Amino acid sequence: MGDSIRVGNVEVTAVSDGGFARPPSAFMPDVPAAAWDQYRAQHLDTDGNIHLNLGCFLVRTGGSTVLVDTGIGGRGGAFPPGRLIDELKQAGVSPEDINQVVITHMHFDHIGWNTVERDGRTVPTFPRARYTIQSGEWDYWSKEESAKQTMENFAYPVQAAGQLDLVGPNHHPTAELTMLPNRATHRVTSAS
């Protein structure tokens, strides 16, 4: 479990779903390998990989317990299963304690714990939570063919359970929190 900070009556705790390492070319294939030489000591390990933390935030405010992003999830696949649920337990929080899940954007490493397999069904991990996603994000990814399986595993079951709130930019999930517009998605969706 990470550090906590208090701002007014809001407590923010950094929690991690783990991490992974990949060569820079996996993220930026157009950048020549030699361009990374000047950053090697600072950002690359001895194998030449970048290490990424799958960070999420636990926000406690005004009687609400909010989880911002849900990491890679517990199903593994090409990545090791995440540890977010254990991190939440260390913070004294169970999945039932989460009132709201706020998704910043819908890349697979931000929505993996949206759902779990339970009794042969894919269901929301946080059974009492409202899942809040900007409608521009939802619209873009639900039309993206490459995201079809991700949506079927981690997004549509939340919608089917009636726990999804699609909102506009500048939405306030709580009085103290504001979801700012995701500029990258807005550029993509406005061009299509």
Side-chain angles (χ1 to χ4, degrees), residues 112-149:
W113 281 109
N114 278 5
T115 62
V116 292
E117 296 293 324
R118 194 174 290 134
D119 299 325
R121 296 180 43 230
T122 303
V123 297
T125 304
F126 307 98
R128 297 178 17 171
R130 301 300 305 170
Y131 287 69
T132 306
I133 300 170
Q134 289 189 30
S135 57
E137 270 299 290
W138 183 271
D139 292 346
Y140 176 79
W141 290 107
S142 62
K143 294 173 187 164
E144 180 62 38
E145 187 61 32
S146 66
K148 183 178 180 182
Q149 186 174 0

PDB file of all heavy atoms in Angstrom, residues 112-149:
ATOM      1  N   GLY A 112      -9.356  -3.470 -15.242  1.00  0.00           N
ATOM      2  CA  GLY A 112      -9.267  -4.917 -15.056  1.00  0.00           C
ATOM      3  C   GLY A 112     -10.002  -5.482 -13.858  1.00  0.00           C
ATOM      4  O   GLY A 112     -10.479  -6.610 -13.896  1.00  0.00           O
ATOM      5  N   TRP A 113     -10.063  -4.728 -12.765  1.00  0.00           N
ATOM      6  CA  TRP A 113     -10.803  -5.207 -11.591  1.00  0.00           C
ATOM      7  C   TRP A 113     -12.232  -4.695 -11.601  1.00  0.00           C
ATOM      8  O   TRP A 113     -12.935  -4.800 -10.587  1.00  0.00           O
ATOM      9  CB  TRP A 113     -10.120  -4.788 -10.288  1.00  0.00           C
ATOM     10  CG  TRP A 113      -8.950  -5.623  -9.895  1.00  0.00           C
ATOM     11  CD1 TRP A 113      -7.633  -5.255  -9.923  1.00  0.00           C
ATOM     12  CD2 TRP A 113      -8.969  -6.964  -9.411  1.00  0.00           C
ATOM     13  NE1 TRP A 113      -6.843  -6.288  -9.488  1.00  0.00           N
ATOM     14  CE2 TRP A 113      -7.644  -7.353  -9.171  1.00  0.00           C
ATOM     15  CE3 TRP A 113      -9.977  -7.886  -9.167  1.00  0.00           C
ATOM     16  CZ2 TRP A 113      -7.299  -8.612  -8.687  1.00  0.00           C
ATOM     17  CZ3 TRP A 113      -9.647  -9.135  -8.691  1.00  0.00           C
ATOM     18  CH2 TRP A 113      -8.316  -9.483  -8.450  1.00  0.00           C
ATOM     19  N   ASN A 114     -12.713  -4.144 -12.715  1.00  0.00           N
ATOM     20  CA  ASN A 114     -14.129  -3.775 -12.778  1.00  0.00           C
ATOM     21  C   ASN A 114     -15.004  -4.990 -12.515  1.00  0.00           C
ATOM     22  O   ASN A 114     -16.084  -4.880 -11.952  1.00  0.00           O
ATOM     23  CB  ASN A 114     -14.495  -3.211 -14.157  1.00  0.00           C
ATOM     24  CG  ASN A 114     -14.135  -1.758 -14.319  1.00  0.00           C
ATOM     25  OD1 ASN A 114     -13.529  -1.142 -13.451  1.00  0.00           O
ATOM     26  ND2 ASN A 114     -14.505  -1.201 -15.457  1.00  0.00           N
ATOM     27  N   THR A 115     -14.516  -6.157 -12.971  1.00  0.00           N
ATOM     28  CA  THR A 115     -15.307  -7.378 -12.849  1.00  0.00           C
ATOM     29  C   THR A 115     -14.462  -8.537 -12.335  1.00  0.00           C
ATOM     30  O   THR A 115     -13.235  -8.497 -12.397  1.00  0.00           O
ATOM     31  CB  THR A 115     -15.904  -7.779 -14.220  1.00  0.00           C
ATOM     32  OG1 THR A 115     -14.836  -8.042 -15.129  1.00  0.00           O
ATOM     33  CG2 THR A 115     -16.825  -6.699 -14.768  1.00  0.00           C
ATOM     34  N   VAL A 116     -15.158  -9.552 -11.856  1.00  0.00           N
ATOM     35  CA  VAL A 116     -14.550 -10.824 -11.439  1.00  0.00           C
ATOM     36  C   VAL A 116     -15.464 -11.952 -11.911  1.00  0.00           C
ATOM     37  O   VAL A 116     -16.629 -11.726 -12.239  1.00  0.00           O
ATOM     38  CB  VAL A 116     -14.368 -10.926  -9.906  1.00  0.00           C
ATOM     39  CG1 VAL A 116     -13.327  -9.948  -9.400  1.00  0.00           C
ATOM     40  CG2 VAL A 116     -15.687 -10.742  -9.175  1.00  0.00           C
ATOM     41  N   GLU A 117     -14.917 -13.151 -11.937  1.00  0.00           N
ATOM     42  CA  GLU A 117     -15.717 -14.343 -12.227  1.00  0.00           C
ATOM     43  C   GLU A 117     -16.250 -14.880 -10.900  1.00  0.00           C
ATOM     44  O   GLU A 117     -15.486 -15.129  -9.977  1.00  0.00           O
ATOM     45  CB  GLU A 117     -14.863 -15.405 -12.918  1.00  0.00           C
ATOM     46  CG  GLU A 117     -14.351 -15.000 -14.280  1.00  0.00           C
ATOM     47  CD  GLU A 117     -15.450 -14.846 -15.314  1.00  0.00           C
ATOM     48  OE1 GLU A 117     -16.434 -15.620 -15.273  1.00  0.00           O
ATOM     49  OE2 GLU A 117     -15.328 -13.937 -16.159  1.00  0.00           O
ATOM     50  N   ARG A 118     -17.557 -15.027 -10.813  1.00  0.00           N
ATOM     51  CA  ARG A 118     -18.173 -15.540  -9.597  1.00  0.00           C
ATOM     52  C   ARG A 118     -19.317 -16.477  -9.995  1.00  0.00           C
ATOM     53  O   ARG A 118     -20.214 -16.053 -10.737  1.00  0.00           O
ATOM     54  CB  ARG A 118     -18.697 -14.372  -8.754  1.00  0.00           C
ATOM     55  CG  ARG A 118     -19.044 -14.731  -7.338  1.00  0.00           C
ATOM     56  CD  ARG A 118     -19.414 -13.518  -6.489  1.00  0.00           C
ATOM     57  NE  ARG A 118     -18.251 -12.685  -6.239  1.00  0.00           N
ATOM     58  CZ  ARG A 118     -18.243 -11.352  -6.373  1.00  0.00           C
ATOM     59  NH1 ARG A 118     -19.302 -10.710  -6.773  1.00  0.00           N
ATOM     60  NH2 ARG A 118     -17.153 -10.674  -6.114  1.00  0.00           N
ATOM     61  N   ASP A 119     -19.258 -17.696  -9.541  1.00  0.00           N
ATOM     62  CA  ASP A 119     -20.301 -18.690  -9.845  1.00  0.00           C
ATOM     63  C   ASP A 119     -20.542 -18.821 -11.348  1.00  0.00           C
ATOM     64  O   ASP A 119     -21.691 -18.909 -11.806  1.00  0.00           O
ATOM     65  CB  ASP A 119     -21.615 -18.330  -9.132  1.00  0.00           C
ATOM     66  CG  ASP A 119     -21.475 -18.303  -7.622  1.00  0.00           C
ATOM     67  OD1 ASP A 119     -20.705 -19.134  -7.077  1.00  0.00           O
ATOM     68  OD2 ASP A 119     -22.111 -17.445  -6.979  1.00  0.00           O
ATOM     69  N   GLY A 120     -19.441 -18.799 -12.125  1.00  0.00           N
ATOM     70  CA  GLY A 120     -19.542 -18.981 -13.567  1.00  0.00           C
ATOM     71  C   GLY A 120     -20.031 -17.768 -14.340  1.00  0.00           C
ATOM     72  O   GLY A 120     -20.302 -17.868 -15.535  1.00  0.00           O
ATOM     73  N   ARG A 121     -20.135 -16.633 -13.670  1.00  0.00           N
ATOM     74  CA  ARG A 121     -20.609 -15.405 -14.317  1.00  0.00           C
ATOM     75  C   ARG A 121     -19.601 -14.295 -14.105  1.00  0.00           C
ATOM     76  O   ARG A 121     -18.897 -14.262 -13.095  1.00  0.00           O
ATOM     77  CB  ARG A 121     -21.955 -14.972 -13.728  1.00  0.00           C
ATOM     78  CG  ARG A 121     -23.071 -15.962 -13.976  1.00  0.00           C
ATOM     79  CD  ARG A 121     -24.421 -15.528 -13.385  1.00  0.00           C
ATOM     80  NE  ARG A 121     -24.704 -14.130 -13.608  1.00  0.00           N
ATOM     81  CZ  ARG A 121     -25.085 -13.275 -12.646  1.00  0.00           C
ATOM     82  NH1 ARG A 121     -25.221 -13.677 -11.407  1.00  0.00           N
ATOM     83  NH2 ARG A 121     -25.342 -12.020 -12.922  1.00  0.00           N
ATOM     84  N   THR A 122     -19.557 -13.369 -15.043  1.00  0.00           N
ATOM     85  CA  THR A 122     -18.733 -12.169 -14.893  1.00  0.00           C
ATOM     86  C   THR A 122     -19.607 -11.094 -14.263  1.00  0.00           C
ATOM     87  O   THR A 122     -20.636 -10.699 -14.836  1.00  0.00           O
ATOM     88  CB  THR A 122     -18.191 -11.705 -16.260  1.00  0.00           C
ATOM     89  OG1 THR A 122     -17.448 -12.783 -16.850  1.00  0.00           O
ATOM     90  CG2 THR A 122     -17.280 -10.503 -16.109  1.00  0.00           C
ATOM     91  N   VAL A 123     -19.201 -10.624 -13.078  1.00  0.00           N
ATOM     92  CA  VAL A 123     -20.004  -9.666 -12.307  1.00  0.00           C
ATOM     93  C   VAL A 123     -19.108  -8.532 -11.817  1.00  0.00           C
ATOM     94  O   VAL A 123     -17.879  -8.675 -11.746  1.00  0.00           O
ATOM     95  CB  VAL A 123     -20.690 -10.357 -11.106  1.00  0.00           C
ATOM     96  CG1 VAL A 123     -21.664 -11.430 -11.576  1.00  0.00           C
ATOM     97  CG2 VAL A 123     -19.667 -10.942 -10.148  1.00  0.00           C
ATOM     98  N   PRO A 124     -19.700  -7.389 -11.449  1.00  0.00           N
ATOM     99  CA  PRO A 124     -18.901  -6.298 -10.894  1.00  0.00           C
ATOM    100  C   PRO A 124     -18.161  -6.732  -9.622  1.00  0.00           C
ATOM    101  O   PRO A 124     -18.739  -7.389  -8.754  1.00  0.00           O
ATOM    102  CB  PRO A 124     -19.932  -5.213 -10.595  1.00  0.00           C
ATOM    103  CG  PRO A 124     -21.047  -5.478 -11.569  1.00  0.00           C
ATOM    104  CD  PRO A 124     -21.104  -6.983 -11.653  1.00  0.00           C
ATOM    105  N   THR A 125     -16.901  -6.363  -9.536  1.00  0.00           N
ATOM    106  CA  THR A 125     -16.085  -6.670  -8.360  1.00  0.00           C
ATOM    107  C   THR A 125     -16.589  -5.930  -7.134  1.00  0.00           C
ATOM    108  O   THR A 125     -16.538  -6.453  -6.022  1.00  0.00           O
ATOM    109  CB  THR A 125     -14.618  -6.265  -8.623  1.00  0.00           C
ATOM    110  OG1 THR A 125     -14.168  -6.933  -9.792  1.00  0.00           O
ATOM    111  CG2 THR A 125     -13.718  -6.594  -7.453  1.00  0.00           C
ATOM    112  N   PHE A 126     -17.076  -4.723  -7.350  1.00  0.00           N
ATOM    113  CA  PHE A 126     -17.511  -3.849  -6.259  1.00  0.00           C
ATOM    114  C   PHE A 126     -19.035  -3.793  -6.305  1.00  0.00           C
ATOM    115  O   PHE A 126     -19.616  -2.944  -6.996  1.00  0.00           O
ATOM    116  CB  PHE A 126     -16.838  -2.485  -6.393  1.00  0.00           C
ATOM    117  CG  PHE A 126     -15.338  -2.619  -6.502  1.00  0.00           C
ATOM    118  CD1 PHE A 126     -14.705  -2.584  -7.741  1.00  0.00           C
ATOM    119  CD2 PHE A 126     -14.566  -2.857  -5.376  1.00  0.00           C
ATOM    120  CE1 PHE A 126     -13.333  -2.752  -7.850  1.00  0.00           C
ATOM    121  CE2 PHE A 126     -13.193  -3.031  -5.475  1.00  0.00           C
ATOM    122  CZ  PHE A 126     -12.576  -2.985  -6.715  1.00  0.00           C
ATOM    123  N   PRO A 127     -19.706  -4.689  -5.596  1.00  0.00           N
ATOM    124  CA  PRO A 127     -21.142  -4.910  -5.791  1.00  0.00           C
ATOM    125  C   PRO A 127     -22.047  -3.752  -5.403  1.00  0.00           C
ATOM    126  O   PRO A 127     -23.160  -3.657  -5.907  1.00  0.00           O
ATOM    127  CB  PRO A 127     -21.434  -6.145  -4.932  1.00  0.00           C
ATOM    128  CG  PRO A 127     -20.351  -6.173  -3.905  1.00  0.00           C
ATOM    129  CD  PRO A 127     -19.146  -5.580  -4.576  1.00  0.00           C
ATOM    130  N   ARG A 128     -21.580  -2.860  -4.538  1.00  0.00           N
ATOM    131  CA  ARG A 128     -22.420  -1.735  -4.098  1.00  0.00           C
ATOM    132  C   ARG A 128     -22.024  -0.422  -4.762  1.00  0.00           C
ATOM    133  O   ARG A 128     -22.612   0.612  -4.469  1.00  0.00           O
ATOM    134  CB  ARG A 128     -22.340  -1.609  -2.583  1.00  0.00           C
ATOM    135  CG  ARG A 128     -22.889  -2.841  -1.882  1.00  0.00           C
ATOM    136  CD  ARG A 128     -22.793  -2.768  -0.399  1.00  0.00           C
ATOM    137  NE  ARG A 128     -22.562  -1.415   0.069  1.00  0.00           N
ATOM    138  CZ  ARG A 128     -22.595  -1.026   1.317  1.00  0.00           C
ATOM    139  NH1 ARG A 128     -22.863  -1.897   2.237  1.00  0.00           N
ATOM    140  NH2 ARG A 128     -22.348   0.203   1.670  1.00  0.00           N
ATOM    141  N   ALA A 129     -21.047  -0.468  -5.646  1.00  0.00           N
ATOM    142  CA  ALA A 129     -20.511   0.763  -6.232  1.00  0.00           C
ATOM    143  C   ALA A 129     -21.238   1.174  -7.501  1.00  0.00           C
ATOM    144  O   ALA A 129     -21.713   0.335  -8.264  1.00  0.00           O
ATOM    145  CB  ALA A 129     -19.025   0.586  -6.547  1.00  0.00           C
ATOM    146  N   ARG A 130     -21.290   2.475  -7.722  1.00  0.00           N
ATOM    147  CA  ARG A 130     -21.638   3.038  -9.022  1.00  0.00           C
ATOM    148  C   ARG A 130     -20.314   3.185  -9.763  1.00  0.00           C
ATOM    149  O   ARG A 130     -19.330   3.669  -9.204  1.00  0.00           O
ATOM    150  CB  ARG A 130     -22.304   4.409  -8.895  1.00  0.00           C
ATOM    151  CG  ARG A 130     -23.587   4.433  -8.092  1.00  0.00           C
ATOM    152  CD  ARG A 130     -24.673   3.570  -8.642  1.00  0.00           C
ATOM    153  NE  ARG A 130     -24.983   3.890 -10.032  1.00  0.00           N
ATOM    154  CZ  ARG A 130     -25.767   3.165 -10.817  1.00  0.00           C
ATOM    155  NH1 ARG A 130     -26.332   2.063 -10.343  1.00  0.00           N
ATOM    156  NH2 ARG A 130     -25.997   3.517 -12.055  1.00  0.00           N
ATOM    157  N   TYR A 131     -20.265   2.739 -10.996  1.00  0.00           N
ATOM    158  CA  TYR A 131     -19.073   2.867 -11.842  1.00  0.00           C
ATOM    159  C   TYR A 131     -19.295   4.081 -12.741  1.00  0.00           C
ATOM    160  O   TYR A 131     -20.273   4.116 -13.499  1.00  0.00           O
ATOM    161  CB  TYR A 131     -18.892   1.620 -12.693  1.00  0.00           C
ATOM    162  CG  TYR A 131     -18.409   0.394 -11.957  1.00  0.00           C
ATOM    163  CD1 TYR A 131     -19.210  -0.276 -11.046  1.00  0.00           C
ATOM    164  CD2 TYR A 131     -17.139  -0.113 -12.211  1.00  0.00           C
ATOM    165  CE1 TYR A 131     -18.767  -1.416 -10.397  1.00  0.00           C
ATOM    166  CE2 TYR A 131     -16.684  -1.265 -11.564  1.00  0.00           C
ATOM    167  CZ  TYR A 131     -17.506  -1.901 -10.657  1.00  0.00           C
ATOM    168  OH  TYR A 131     -17.063  -3.034 -10.027  1.00  0.00           O
ATOM    169  N   THR A 132     -18.413   5.059 -12.648  1.00  0.00           N
ATOM    170  CA  THR A 132     -18.577   6.311 -13.376  1.00  0.00           C
ATOM    171  C   THR A 132     -17.511   6.431 -14.458  1.00  0.00           C
ATOM    172  O   THR A 132     -16.314   6.365 -14.162  1.00  0.00           O
ATOM    173  CB  THR A 132     -18.490   7.510 -12.403  1.00  0.00           C
ATOM    174  OG1 THR A 132     -19.433   7.304 -11.345  1.00  0.00           O
ATOM    175  CG2 THR A 132     -18.786   8.807 -13.106  1.00  0.00           C
ATOM    176  N   ILE A 133     -17.980   6.601 -15.703  1.00  0.00           N
ATOM    177  CA  ILE A 133     -17.094   6.695 -16.860  1.00  0.00           C
ATOM    178  C   ILE A 133     -17.605   7.829 -17.734  1.00  0.00           C
ATOM    179  O   ILE A 133     -18.820   7.972 -17.929  1.00  0.00           O
ATOM    180  CB  ILE A 133     -17.098   5.368 -17.662  1.00  0.00           C
ATOM    181  CG1 ILE A 133     -16.616   4.201 -16.784  1.00  0.00           C
ATOM    182  CG2 ILE A 133     -16.262   5.496 -18.933  1.00  0.00           C
ATOM    183  CD1 ILE A 133     -16.808   2.826 -17.413  1.00  0.00           C
ATOM    184  N   GLN A 134     -16.695   8.619 -18.266  1.00  0.00           N
ATOM    185  CA  GLN A 134     -17.124   9.673 -19.182  1.00  0.00           C
ATOM    186  C   GLN A 134     -17.706   9.057 -20.449  1.00  0.00           C
ATOM    187  O   GLN A 134     -17.146   8.106 -21.011  1.00  0.00           O
ATOM    188  CB  GLN A 134     -15.965  10.611 -19.512  1.00  0.00           C
ATOM    189  CG  GLN A 134     -15.595  11.481 -18.325  1.00  0.00           C
ATOM    190  CD  GLN A 134     -14.597  12.555 -18.680  1.00  0.00           C
ATOM    191  OE1 GLN A 134     -14.552  13.051 -19.799  1.00  0.00           O
ATOM    192  NE2 GLN A 134     -13.796  12.931 -17.698  1.00  0.00           N
ATOM    193  N   SER A 135     -18.815   9.576 -20.904  1.00  0.00           N
ATOM    194  CA  SER A 135     -19.521   9.001 -22.053  1.00  0.00           C
ATOM    195  C   SER A 135     -18.670   9.007 -23.317  1.00  0.00           C
ATOM    196  O   SER A 135     -18.770   8.091 -24.139  1.00  0.00           O
ATOM    197  CB  SER A 135     -20.851   9.711 -22.288  1.00  0.00           C
ATOM    198  OG  SER A 135     -20.660  11.092 -22.482  1.00  0.00           O
ATOM    199  N   GLY A 136     -17.794   9.994 -23.498  1.00  0.00           N
ATOM    200  CA  GLY A 136     -16.911  10.012 -24.659  1.00  0.00           C
ATOM    201  C   GLY A 136     -15.968   8.821 -24.673  1.00  0.00           C
ATOM    202  O   GLY A 136     -15.690   8.241 -25.733  1.00  0.00           O
ATOM    203  N   GLU A 137     -15.469   8.438 -23.506  1.00  0.00           N
ATOM    204  CA  GLU A 137     -14.616   7.244 -23.379  1.00  0.00           C
ATOM    205  C   GLU A 137     -15.407   6.001 -23.764  1.00  0.00           C
ATOM    206  O   GLU A 137     -14.956   5.168 -24.532  1.00  0.00           O
ATOM    207  CB  GLU A 137     -14.132   7.069 -21.945  1.00  0.00           C
ATOM    208  CG  GLU A 137     -12.857   7.707 -21.552  1.00  0.00           C
ATOM    209  CD  GLU A 137     -11.643   7.235 -22.309  1.00  0.00           C
ATOM    210  OE1 GLU A 137     -11.196   6.086 -22.142  1.00  0.00           O
ATOM    211  OE2 GLU A 137     -11.115   8.036 -23.067  1.00  0.00           O
ATOM    212  N   TRP A 138     -16.572   5.867 -23.177  1.00  0.00           N
ATOM    213  CA  TRP A 138     -17.412   4.696 -23.434  1.00  0.00           C
ATOM    214  C   TRP A 138     -17.743   4.598 -24.924  1.00  0.00           C
ATOM    215  O   TRP A 138     -17.628   3.531 -25.534  1.00  0.00           O
ATOM    216  CB  TRP A 138     -18.693   4.780 -22.609  1.00  0.00           C
ATOM    217  CG  TRP A 138     -19.557   3.585 -22.769  1.00  0.00           C
ATOM    218  CD1 TRP A 138     -20.530   3.384 -23.713  1.00  0.00           C
ATOM    219  CD2 TRP A 138     -19.530   2.397 -21.981  1.00  0.00           C
ATOM    220  NE1 TRP A 138     -21.107   2.154 -23.561  1.00  0.00           N
ATOM    221  CE2 TRP A 138     -20.514   1.526 -22.493  1.00  0.00           C
ATOM    222  CE3 TRP A 138     -18.771   1.983 -20.887  1.00  0.00           C
ATOM    223  CZ2 TRP A 138     -20.756   0.275 -21.952  1.00  0.00           C
ATOM    224  CZ3 TRP A 138     -19.018   0.740 -20.352  1.00  0.00           C
ATOM    225  CH2 TRP A 138     -19.998  -0.100 -20.878  1.00  0.00           C
ATOM    226  N   ASP A 139     -18.171   5.703 -25.501  1.00  0.00           N
ATOM    227  CA  ASP A 139     -18.555   5.701 -26.919  1.00  0.00           C
ATOM    228  C   ASP A 139     -17.387   5.285 -27.809  1.00  0.00           C
ATOM    229  O   ASP A 139     -17.547   4.478 -28.722  1.00  0.00           O
ATOM    230  CB  ASP A 139     -19.061   7.078 -27.348  1.00  0.00           C
ATOM    231  CG  ASP A 139     -20.379   7.449 -26.702  1.00  0.00           C
ATOM    232  OD1 ASP A 139     -21.058   6.554 -26.133  1.00  0.00           O
ATOM    233  OD2 ASP A 139     -20.730   8.643 -26.736  1.00  0.00           O
ATOM    234  N   TYR A 140     -16.212   5.827 -27.529  1.00  0.00           N
ATOM    235  CA  TYR A 140     -15.048   5.507 -28.351  1.00  0.00           C
ATOM    236  C   TYR A 140     -14.696   4.016 -28.258  1.00  0.00           C
ATOM    237  O   TYR A 140     -14.574   3.329 -29.262  1.00  0.00           O
ATOM    238  CB  TYR A 140     -13.836   6.358 -27.954  1.00  0.00           C
ATOM    239  CG  TYR A 140     -12.599   5.978 -28.724  1.00  0.00           C
ATOM    240  CD1 TYR A 140     -12.415   6.430 -30.025  1.00  0.00           C
ATOM    241  CD2 TYR A 140     -11.642   5.137 -28.168  1.00  0.00           C
ATOM    242  CE1 TYR A 140     -11.295   6.060 -30.757  1.00  0.00           C
ATOM    243  CE2 TYR A 140     -10.513   4.762 -28.886  1.00  0.00           C
ATOM    244  CZ  TYR A 140     -10.342   5.228 -30.175  1.00  0.00           C
ATOM    245  OH  TYR A 140      -9.246   4.853 -30.900  1.00  0.00           O
ATOM    246  N   TRP A 141     -14.533   3.514 -27.034  1.00  0.00           N
ATOM    247  CA  TRP A 141     -14.061   2.142 -26.851  1.00  0.00           C
ATOM    248  C   TRP A 141     -15.117   1.106 -27.211  1.00  0.00           C
ATOM    249  O   TRP A 141     -14.787  -0.002 -27.637  1.00  0.00           O
ATOM    250  CB  TRP A 141     -13.523   1.926 -25.442  1.00  0.00           C
ATOM    251  CG  TRP A 141     -12.237   2.675 -25.276  1.00  0.00           C
ATOM    252  CD1 TRP A 141     -12.044   3.808 -24.551  1.00  0.00           C
ATOM    253  CD2 TRP A 141     -10.987   2.384 -25.896  1.00  0.00           C
ATOM    254  NE1 TRP A 141     -10.745   4.237 -24.677  1.00  0.00           N
ATOM    255  CE2 TRP A 141     -10.068   3.377 -25.501  1.00  0.00           C
ATOM    256  CE3 TRP A 141     -10.545   1.382 -26.748  1.00  0.00           C
ATOM    257  CZ2 TRP A 141      -8.744   3.402 -25.919  1.00  0.00           C
ATOM    258  CZ3 TRP A 141      -9.222   1.396 -27.174  1.00  0.00           C
ATOM    259  CH2 TRP A 141      -8.337   2.398 -26.756  1.00  0.00           C
ATOM    260  N   SER A 142     -16.384   1.430 -27.075  1.00  0.00           N
ATOM    261  CA  SER A 142     -17.411   0.458 -27.453  1.00  0.00           C
ATOM    262  C   SER A 142     -17.503   0.291 -28.970  1.00  0.00           C
ATOM    263  O   SER A 142     -18.052  -0.704 -29.449  1.00  0.00           O
ATOM    264  CB  SER A 142     -18.777   0.830 -26.872  1.00  0.00           C
ATOM    265  OG  SER A 142     -19.210   2.073 -27.368  1.00  0.00           O
ATOM    266  N   LYS A 143     -16.953   1.221 -29.728  1.00  0.00           N
ATOM    267  CA  LYS A 143     -16.929   1.117 -31.195  1.00  0.00           C
ATOM    268  C   LYS A 143     -15.597   0.597 -31.723  1.00  0.00           C
ATOM    269  O   LYS A 143     -15.486   0.282 -32.908  1.00  0.00           O
ATOM    270  CB  LYS A 143     -17.199   2.488 -31.811  1.00  0.00           C
ATOM    271  CG  LYS A 143     -18.595   2.992 -31.530  1.00  0.00           C
ATOM    272  CD  LYS A 143     -18.772   4.409 -32.011  1.00  0.00           C
ATOM    273  CE  LYS A 143     -20.124   4.934 -31.566  1.00  0.00           C
ATOM    274  NZ  LYS A 143     -20.206   6.383 -31.679  1.00  0.00           N
ATOM    275  N   GLU A 144     -14.592   0.498 -30.873  1.00  0.00           N
ATOM    276  CA  GLU A 144     -13.249   0.100 -31.276  1.00  0.00           C
ATOM    277  C   GLU A 144     -13.163  -1.429 -31.335  1.00  0.00           C
ATOM    278  O   GLU A 144     -13.251  -2.110 -30.323  1.00  0.00           O
ATOM    279  CB  GLU A 144     -12.224   0.660 -30.281  1.00  0.00           C
ATOM    280  CG  GLU A 144     -10.798   0.345 -30.568  1.00  0.00           C
ATOM    281  CD  GLU A 144     -10.299   0.894 -31.884  1.00  0.00           C
ATOM    282  OE1 GLU A 144     -10.686   2.019 -32.254  1.00  0.00           O
ATOM    283  OE2 GLU A 144      -9.516   0.188 -32.543  1.00  0.00           O
ATOM    284  N   GLU A 145     -13.000  -1.960 -32.524  1.00  0.00           N
ATOM    285  CA  GLU A 145     -12.981  -3.421 -32.718  1.00  0.00           C
ATOM    286  C   GLU A 145     -11.887  -4.088 -31.888  1.00  0.00           C
ATOM    287  O   GLU A 145     -12.089  -5.168 -31.337  1.00  0.00           O
ATOM    288  CB  GLU A 145     -12.809  -3.757 -34.200  1.00  0.00           C
ATOM    289  CG  GLU A 145     -12.935  -5.225 -34.507  1.00  0.00           C
ATOM    290  CD  GLU A 145     -14.283  -5.849 -34.151  1.00  0.00           C
ATOM    291  OE1 GLU A 145     -15.324  -5.168 -34.224  1.00  0.00           O
ATOM    292  OE2 GLU A 145     -14.282  -7.038 -33.772  1.00  0.00           O
ATOM    293  N   SER A 146     -10.728  -3.446 -31.768  1.00  0.00           N
ATOM    294  CA  SER A 146      -9.621  -4.051 -31.021  1.00  0.00           C
ATOM    295  C   SER A 146      -9.920  -4.158 -29.520  1.00  0.00           C
ATOM    296  O   SER A 146      -9.247  -4.885 -28.808  1.00  0.00           O
ATOM    297  CB  SER A 146      -8.331  -3.249 -31.237  1.00  0.00           C
ATOM    298  OG  SER A 146      -8.459  -1.954 -30.670  1.00  0.00           O
ATOM    299  N   ALA A 147     -10.929  -3.440 -29.036  1.00  0.00           N
ATOM    300  CA  ALA A 147     -11.270  -3.456 -27.611  1.00  0.00           C
ATOM    301  C   ALA A 147     -12.489  -4.325 -27.309  1.00  0.00           C
ATOM    302  O   ALA A 147     -12.958  -4.353 -26.175  1.00  0.00           O
ATOM    303  CB  ALA A 147     -11.526  -2.032 -27.129  1.00  0.00           C
ATOM    304  N   LYS A 148     -12.974  -5.057 -28.296  1.00  0.00           N
ATOM    305  CA  LYS A 148     -14.211  -5.820 -28.128  1.00  0.00           C
ATOM    306  C   LYS A 148     -14.157  -6.776 -26.932  1.00  0.00           C
ATOM    307  O   LYS A 148     -15.042  -6.781 -26.087  1.00  0.00           O
ATOM    308  CB  LYS A 148     -14.529  -6.580 -29.405  1.00  0.00           C
ATOM    309  CG  LYS A 148     -15.828  -7.330 -29.344  1.00  0.00           C
ATOM    310  CD  LYS A 148     -16.137  -8.032 -30.654  1.00  0.00           C
ATOM    311  CE  LYS A 148     -17.455  -8.766 -30.513  1.00  0.00           C
ATOM    312  NZ  LYS A 148     -17.801  -9.508 -31.691  1.00  0.00           N
ATOM    313  N   GLN A 149     -13.103  -7.579 -26.840  1.00  0.00           N
ATOM    314  CA  GLN A 149     -13.002  -8.547 -25.740  1.00  0.00           C
ATOM    315  C   GLN A 149     -12.833  -7.839 -24.394  1.00  0.00           C
ATOM    316  O   GLN A 149     -13.412  -8.260 -23.392  1.00  0.00           O
ATOM    317  CB  GLN A 149     -11.849  -9.513 -25.978  1.00  0.00           C
ATOM    318  CG  GLN A 149     -11.799 -10.605 -24.934  1.00  0.00           C
ATOM    319  CD  GLN A 149     -10.737 -11.655 -25.235  1.00  0.00           C
ATOM    320  OE1 GLN A 149     -10.022 -11.592 -26.220  1.00  0.00           O
ATOM    321  NE2 GLN A 149     -10.624 -12.629 -24.360  1.00  0.00           N
TER     322      GLN A 149
END
